[in-house]
Amino acid sequence: MAELRSPGGKVGRKVFETFREITHIEAEQGMTAMDLGIRESSIDLNIEINKVDNGRKTIIDFP
């Protein structure tokens, strides 16, 4: 698993809220499967949003 460094607070909040809007995860924590269509292909993703001590964590898993 690769971990990316934080993009910073302003960008991080925007990314987090965008994932919430796309996945419709309304609770503080949640998980859902998602198909991302790219041209004539698609990729399966698992999106997980967790609340942690210092904020929120978004996990994107490629099953």
Side-chain angles (χ1 to χ4, degrees), residues 1-15:
M1 173 171 68
E3 289 195 28
L4 303 175
R5 65 180 176 84
S6 172
K10 186 176 180 181
V11 173
R13 279 188 292 279
K14 184 64 177 169
V15 169

Side-chain angles (χ1 to χ4, degrees), residues 16-35:
F16 181 78
E17 292 307 318
T18 300
F19 272 117
R20 274 196 186 278
E21 291 173 7
I22 292 170
T23 62
H24 301 286
I25 297 174
E26 302 295 332
E28 286 290 320
Q29 301 188 127
M31 183 170 48
T32 189
M34 182 175 126
D35 289 330

Side-chain angles (χ1 to χ4, degrees), residues 3 9 26-27 31-34 46 48 50 52 57 60:
E3 289 195 28
E26 302 295 332
M31 183 170 48
T32 189
M34 182 175 126
N46 291 327
E48 184 176 350
N50 295 313
V52 294
K57 182 176 185 178
I60 305 169

